[in-house]
Amino acid sequence: MHLDPTAFTDASRRRAIAVFAHNESRKILGCLEALRLSPLLPNTTCYVIANGCNDDTVAHVTEYALKAPWVRVIVLEVGDKANAWNHFVHEIAPEAESYFFTDGDCQVENGSLQQLEESLLSDKNVNAASGVPSHHNISLGIFRHDIIMHGGFAGNLYALSQDFVSRLRAQRIRLPQGLIGDDSLIGALALWNLDPSKGWNHDLARVVPTATFRYESIMWASVFDPMFYIRRLRRYSLRHFQNQLIRARIKPSGLSVLPDHIETLYLDAKNHELIPRSSLKHYIFDRWAVQAIGNARDTLMAKRTL
């Protein structure tokens, strides 16, 4: 499909960016400056959704916005990315032709927004376009190679089409609060075309190797916060089990069974769904995740008996 080169400079084309930030006071200004210099496409509004912040993230963004009219600050008390995503998509995002999503600890590299939008415009059937980690993130080389060669979805930087967002809204599809694998579910929804009874269609969600982002490595972040690495591995294990529970339920029953909160699925989780993986890389943290799920289930059951 031939693309009109003026599509990317047309001021009438509306664009919206969601930046999810939870305690990102050290990195949020770098994120916004990278967006501005990427360069920012015309007629773009950026919504920094500060969720559950107890640091100076909101103060930094508020001050930055005084000189950057394209920035809006949204403050949510709940520190939950899935809830922030729901709020953006269903409550505050304006009607736009392109919707971009990134994290407050990421820096979008030159031309990435345009490359993502070009991918969406190249085929009206494309629901989503995903960026990839930068060559500067050497530690993510394996992930970069895998996502380019085999497909995937990077929650750090992606774009959704106007039609896809409109259908998400019309069907009132929301991510379960407490969900860690938000990018996994969003990518799957795009590949399923919102119908999980079907197989994935990889033509509906494209990986764009030229749309890159960089962020601080886990090891470097651990210098500032020694427990960062441990928390990240725990979240990866919890994400693994959450994804299993969701997939097993929406494939046969459809998206209507998505709960408001992910912990609802813990109540009927079967023993075979909560078996730690045997590899040394995962076993210890999977054990922790299974225990966390059990504790959450016990708490929910206790509340129901009151």
Side-chain angles (χ1 to χ4, degrees):
M1 178 179 179
H2 175 71
L3 296 178
D4 180 358
T6 64
F8 307 109
T9 57
D10 183 1
S12 66
R13 185 173 180 81
R14 295 159 298 178
R15 302 162 173 100
I17 302 176
V19 176
F20 302 110
H22 172 69
N23 290 342
E24 297 293 357
S25 61
R26 190 167 58 85
K27 306 168 191 170
I28 190 63
L29 295 184
C31 170
L32 294 175
E33 274 297 281
L35 283 171
R36 183 180 69 84
L37 297 172
S38 62
L40 198 70
L41 299 174
N43 201 22
T44 297
T45 304
C46 174
Y47 298 83
V48 178
I49 306 176
N51 57 101
C53 294
N54 53 25
D55 63 358
D56 294 329
T57 298
V58 173
H60 288 326
V61 178
T62 301
E63 182 178 0
Y64 183 91
L66 294 175
K67 298 180 180 179
W70 52 277
V71 174
R72 305 282 188 276
V73 187
I74 308 297
V75 180
L76 301 179
E77 291 186 4
V78 177
D80 186 271
K81 186 178 178 181
N83 180 68
W85 188 93
N86 291 336
H87 190 76
F88 174 75
V89 170
H90 293 282
E91 307 296 338
I92 63 172
E95 288 298 323
E97 280 75 29
S98 300
Y99 297 87
F100 302 94
F101 300 78
T102 190
D103 293 333
D105 61 347
C106 290
Q107 294 187 12
V108 173
E109 294 191 320
N110 186 49
S112 294
L113 299 182
Q114 179 171 325
Q115 294 295 329
L116 290 174
E117 185 169 276
E118 182 176 349
S119 184
L120 292 180
L121 290 177
S122 65
D123 186 337
K124 65 179 181 180
N125 296 314
V126 174
N127 291 325
S130 172
V132 302
S134 167
H135 288 292
H136 293 94
N137 282 113
I138 299 175
S139 62
L140 296 176
I142 295 177
F143 174 53
R144 175 184 171 85
H145 177 268
D146 286 348
I147 194 174
I148 292 174
M149 296 300 297
H150 307 296
F153 202 77
N156 313 84
L157 175 64
Y158 62 94
L160 301 179
S161 71
Q162 180 181 32
D163 175 71
F164 187 63
V165 170
S166 295
R167 287 186 287 130
L168 286 169
R169 289 169 167 171
Q171 297 182 40
R172 300 181 180 179
I173 297 172
R174 294 173 176 265
L175 305 182
Q177 187 171 326
L179 176 67
I180 295 175
D182 56 284
D183 53 341
S184 298
L185 181 54
I186 295 164
L189 292 174
L191 292 166
W192 282 323
N193 206 22
L194 301 183
D195 184 356
S197 68
K198 298 179 179 179
W200 281 358
N201 181 349
H202 287 278
D203 290 332
L204 300 181
R206 295 182 174 176
V207 175
V208 186
T210 52
T212 56
F213 60 89
R214 64 184 184 276
Y215 61 90
E216 193 172 76
S217 70
I218 291 178
M219 297 307 296
W220 182 247
S222 298
V223 172
F224 298 94
D225 181 358
M227 285 298 295
F228 180 87
Y229 185 65
I230 300 299
R231 289 198 303 271
R232 178 63 62 90
L233 293 179
R234 285 181 170 182
R235 286 175 61 83
Y236 286 165
S237 282
L238 188 55
R239 178 181 64 183
H240 164 73
F241 290 108
Q242 288 182 352
N243 286 341
Q244 285 197 149
L245 293 173
I246 288 176
R247 188 184 307 111
R249 285 150 183 79
I250 66 176
K251 285 294 286 183
S253 303
L255 299 177
S256 62
V257 300
L258 280 174
D260 292 333
H261 199 291
I262 192 65
E263 290 184 354
T264 302
L265 298 185
Y266 299 168
L267 290 171
D268 67 343
K270 306 298 187 296
N271 289 336
H272 71 269
E273 294 177 305
L274 300 176
I275 299 176
R277 289 166 287 183
S278 58
S279 69
L280 292 176
K281 178 181 178 181
H282 301 296
Y283 183 76
I284 294 176
F285 296 102
D286 280 5
R287 283 286 302 271
W288 173 89
V290 170
Q291 182 177 2
I293 289 173
N295 292 340
R297 179 169 52 193
D298 291 344
T299 300
L300 286 174
M301 293 179 68
K303 288 181 179 179
R304 289 191 173 190
T305 59
L306 293 178

